[in-house]
Amino acid sequence: QLQASGGGVVQAGGSLRLSCAATGRTFSNYGVGWFRQTPGKQREFVATINWSGKSTYYDDSVQGRFTVSRDNAKNAVYLQMNSLKPEDTAVYYCAASPYGDIRILRAKYDYWGQGTQVTVSS
């Protein structure tokens, strides 16, 4: 029901835009979060946006470099990633929370999409 896309290989300092598309269900009332995971580590919070798009929250590691936005008419959420660093390399996942507001805990998200790989080379 959720599908993340837009990953790829980019040099440090470059940009990527990830998309999260929802099918089979309308997510306009859901909060959406982005998480990332590297091998051997837990999935960690990156950014979140509330149902209306008016509230966002970011992990300190991406604050000022990443921007989350959404287009409810298209049932889609985006993660614009600028000034990428090698430590941003991970599989990125989008997830939807029925609470509607911003949430940083994985447990608050009920629906998860398949991830998309982001690789930042130095």
Side-chain angles (χ1 to χ4, degrees), residues 80-120:
Q80 178 66 44
M81 305 187 296
N82 298 330
S83 302
L84 283 162
K85 305 175 180 180
E87 51 264 43
D88 293 319
T89 295
V91 177
Y92 283 72
Y93 299 86
C94 60
S97 168
Y99 291 95
D101 57 356
I102 57 175
R103 300 277 170 165
I104 65 172
L105 296 178
R106 295 194 310 272
K108 299 300 184 183
Y109 290 86
D110 290 352
Y111 303 97
W112 290 82
Q114 292 182 322
T116 184
Q117 176 71 48
V118 172
T119 302
V120 184

Side-chain angles (χ1 to χ4, degrees), residues 26-122:
T26 298
F27 284 94
S28 58
N29 293 328
Y30 287 69
V32 175
W34 286 94
F35 294 77
R36 63 187 180 187
Q37 188 171 22
T38 55
K41 293 188 177 181
Q42 288 191 343
R43 196 169 297 184
E44 64 179 16
F45 167 79
V46 175
T48 180
I49 188 167
N50 78 327
W51 68 274
S52 69
K54 293 183 178 180
S55 293
T56 59
Y57 185 79
Y58 301 89
D59 184 77
D60 287 347
S61 64
V62 306
Q63 177 75 48
R65 300 187 298 121
F66 291 11
T67 302
V68 59
S69 61
R70 67 190 301 160
D71 184 340
N72 284 339
K74 296 182 178 180
N75 222 18
V77 174
Y78 308 100
L79 184 67
Q80 178 66 44
M81 305 187 296
N82 298 330
S83 302
L84 283 162
K85 305 175 180 180
E87 51 264 43
D88 293 319
T89 295
V91 177
Y92 283 72
Y93 299 86
C94 60
S97 168
Y99 291 95
D101 57 356
I102 57 175
R103 300 277 170 165
I104 65 172
L105 296 178
R106 295 194 310 272
K108 299 300 184 183
Y109 290 86
D110 290 352
Y111 303 97
W112 290 82
Q114 292 182 322
T116 184
Q117 176 71 48
V118 172
T119 302
V120 184
S121 61
S122 57

